Amino acid sequence: MCPPGDEGCRLLSVADLFDRVIRHSGRIHSLSTELEKYLTPRNNELDRPARKCHTATMLTPNGKEYAQKIPREELTYLILKLLQAWKEPLSHFNQHIENLQELPGESLSKAKQISNMVHELETGVEKVTEKMQSMGIISNSLHGVASSEAAGVSISNEANVMSDSDFIHCFRRDSNKVQSYLKILKCRIMPENSC
């Protein structure tokens, strides 16, 4: 937002805002991929089946062709729901891994960075949403989605009892979905960008 009278302030276009959140989501996904390398399954975890991700109950499209068919408002809502579903579990995860002696300090730093970046990305997606609503690109039906409870996501203890490797694997999977959905949403709203 530019304050009245600030002639040096430049309003960002929807395309610029999308580019920023897409780049940001890409950095989050890259960091989670790096962090996953540090959190390999322990010997006692190798034989057991992987736990279901706490976001597994969320209906998300499988594949680009299905995501492209979802109305813009629903895709935007889904992106926000995914981001909101990870805020609290990431906070608990950061507290948990601070006590792990075997992890290098670099991995702790990455985990904290991811948590902060998810908050920033959610704010960025909210800004893009507000801009699209003000321009009439999407309806105002998303107004007020502010918490994971409002978004219909149940944050259970599933995320807190997962192994570290399962947890970061689930997060990495969902961060990839967010990035893909943002790219699809941008292309649907601005097809002139040769998507």
Side-chain angles (χ1 to χ4, degrees):
M1 300 292 285
C2 290
D6 187 353
E7 295 177 21
C9 182
R10 182 177 79 92
L11 290 176
L12 294 173
S13 69
V14 174
D16 290 337
L17 290 172
F18 264 112
D19 289 341
R20 286 181 176 201
V21 294
I22 290 168
R23 278 194 309 273
H24 202 71
S25 67
R27 287 191 294 270
I28 291 171
H29 184 70
S30 294
L31 279 172
S32 64
T33 300
E34 291 173 29
L35 185 57
E36 190 174 30
K37 293 174 188 172
Y38 292 112
L39 301 173
T40 55
R42 295 182 185 104
N43 290 336
N44 62 346
E45 296 175 356
L46 293 175
D47 294 335
R48 67 166 183 76
R51 290 195 188 265
K52 186 170 77 170
C53 299
H54 78 285
T55 56
T57 58
M58 292 175 64
L59 296 177
T60 59
N62 288 332
K64 183 179 176 179
E65 61 279 354
Y66 294 112
Q68 289 173 326
K69 294 177 184 177
I70 295 178
R72 297 173 189 170
E73 290 83 1
E74 287 182 36
L75 194 55
T76 304
Y77 181 69
L78 181 58
I79 292 165
L80 287 169
K81 275 178 45 174
L82 280 168
L83 290 171
Q84 290 164 351
W86 279 101
K87 285 172 32 177
E88 187 178 324
L90 280 168
S91 175
H92 289 289
F93 178 71
N94 284 338
Q95 292 170 3
H96 163 71
I97 66 168
E98 283 180 1
N99 299 320
L100 297 179
Q101 308 297 327
E102 65 269 14
L103 286 178
E106 184 181 342
S107 62
L108 299 175
S109 171
K110 287 182 191 324
K112 287 180 182 175
Q113 193 175 1
I114 287 170
S115 187
N116 292 335
M117 290 176 76
V118 167
H119 287 283
E120 292 167 359
L121 181 58
E122 180 185 12
T123 301
V125 171
E126 288 170 350
K127 297 276 186 226
V128 173
T129 302
E130 290 168 10
K131 181 86 167 182
M132 290 188 300
Q133 289 170 334
S134 72
M135 296 175 69
I137 296 171
I138 63 172
S139 72
N140 288 336
S141 63
L142 294 175
H143 193 70
V145 175
S147 71
S148 55
E149 290 174 15
V153 178
S154 168
I155 298 178
S156 67
N157 285 334
E158 285 180 54
N160 296 334
V161 296
M162 274 191 253
S163 72
D164 298 337
S165 58
D166 285 347
F167 180 89
I168 203 65
H169 174 79
C170 289
F171 176 77
R172 191 175 63 80
R173 183 202 69 182
D174 284 349
S175 69
N176 187 54
K177 285 182 184 181
V178 167
Q179 184 179 22
S180 297
Y181 298 161
L182 284 167
K183 288 177 180 178
I184 290 167
L185 188 58
K186 178 186 177 190
C187 287
R188 292 193 45 220
I189 289 170
M190 292 165 281
E192 68 274 6
N193 287 334
S194 64
C195 299

